[in-house]
Amino acid sequence: EVQLLESGGGFVQPGGSLRLSCAASGFTFSTYGMSWVRQAPGMGLEWVSSISYHSVDTFYADSVRGRFTVSRDNSKNTLYLQMNSLIAEDTAVYYCARGARIATIDYWGPGTLVTVSS
Amino acid sequence: EIVLTQSPATLSLSPGERATLSCRASQSVSTYLAWYQQRPGQAPRLLIYDASNRGTGTPARFSGSGSGTDFTLTISSLEPEDFAVYYCQHRSNWPITFGQGTRLEIK
């Protein structure tokens, strides 16, 4: 059974940083592109970032490019999202998801809430 | 950036009725379009991929059609658990984008 479990969310002040993690199990993690998708309170889904299976290619939404960095450790079956220079508009539930552009996003974690506020 | 426009924003129907949801792309996405269902407090769940293929565990009452710029998700006979928000999403190029969602509510 495919399982994705995010961690690392929490409360942070504007300008602060957080690192999200996503532990994957139930599939061969090293053969899948992975993505982060977020959802602000009461709003729709917004793609944030994706990374290829071998980490060579990374992609970002304009809204986070230069502030967020996606990475992965295939030896630990873990996906990461380093978030710097956080702003209030980054407040959202962040979902880890299997897939990106080459393959459909097909499985999602339960999400982790990030709140940016002073 | 490809913009996906979903209609209607809200659809009010009764259990047993047929639901038809629309997703229109601002330029062709071929058949690289997926549909997701999101129930309150839950993560999205894949229903349909590549426009017309049911995902693992997707009931047969859900079907998808379309190509290019116009897509439809049809639920043949609504069950109580189908009342939720539905999103379309393309993976034709970067950036991946989602539609704004259609809320399917009980009439």
Side-chain angles (χ1 to χ4, degrees):
Chain A
E1 178 190 6
V2 173
Q3 291 194 331
L4 301 168
L5 185 60
E6 304 92 341
S7 61
F11 187 94
V12 62
Q13 293 188 331
S17 298
L18 277 178
R19 187 175 86 151
L20 305 183
S21 299
C22 171
S25 62
F27 66 103
T28 306
F29 180 73
S30 61
T31 64
Y32 282 85
M34 298 292 293
S35 298
W36 290 97
V37 178
R38 69 184 180 183
Q39 186 170 35
M43 302 296 285
L45 301 170
E46 179 189 16
W47 170 77
V48 173
S49 180
S50 296
I51 186 168
S52 61
Y53 69 96
H54 46 23
S55 302
V56 170
D57 301 306
T58 57
F59 304 90
Y60 299 94
D62 287 345
S63 58
V64 307
R65 185 176 291 113
R67 301 187 298 120
F68 290 12
T69 302
V70 63
S71 62
R72 63 191 296 161
D73 185 338
N74 286 345
S75 69
K76 296 181 178 180
N77 289 348
T78 303
L79 175 72
Y80 302 100
L81 186 67
Q82 177 67 43
M83 304 187 295
N84 298 331
S85 304
L86 285 161
I87 59 178
E89 289 74 20
D90 295 321
T91 294
V93 173
Y94 284 73
Y95 295 104
C96 164
R98 187 178 81 166
R101 195 176 76 81
I102 301 300
T104 299
I105 291 175
D106 58 358
Y107 287 93
W108 302 65
T112 187
L113 177 62
V114 172
T115 302
V116 184
S117 176
S118 55
Chain B
E1 172 176 321
I2 295 175
V3 176
L4 299 179
T5 302
Q6 293 186 239
S7 61
T10 302
L11 185 57
S12 299
L13 294 170
S14 300
E17 290 193 292
R18 181 184 187 90
T20 303
L21 287 68
S22 175
C23 176
R24 177 163 290 179
S26 59
Q27 63 189 75
S28 176
V29 298
S30 184
T31 56
Y32 296 123
L33 189 106
W35 290 93
Y36 300 91
Q37 177 193 67
Q38 188 176 34
R39 296 177 177 137
Q42 296 186 14
R45 167 198 168 198
L46 176 67
L47 292 176
I48 301 288
Y49 67 95
D50 292 349
S52 60
N53 298 288
R54 277 189 290 274
T56 303
T58 300
R61 64 182 181 273
F62 291 89
S63 62
S65 63
S67 65
T69 61
D70 289 294
F71 300 86
T72 301
L73 174 69
T74 301
I75 311 171
S76 59
S77 179
L78 286 165
E79 297 288 341
E81 61 268 27
D82 298 338
F83 292 92
V85 179
Y86 293 82
Y87 295 95
C88 59
Q89 173 248 326
H90 87 86
R91 60 181 182 92
S92 174
N93 57 18
W94 299 105
I96 292 169
T97 57
F98 291 85
Q100 82 281 13
T102 289
R103 179 177 304 277
L104 180 55
E105 64 177 27
I106 299 177
K107 186 173 182 179

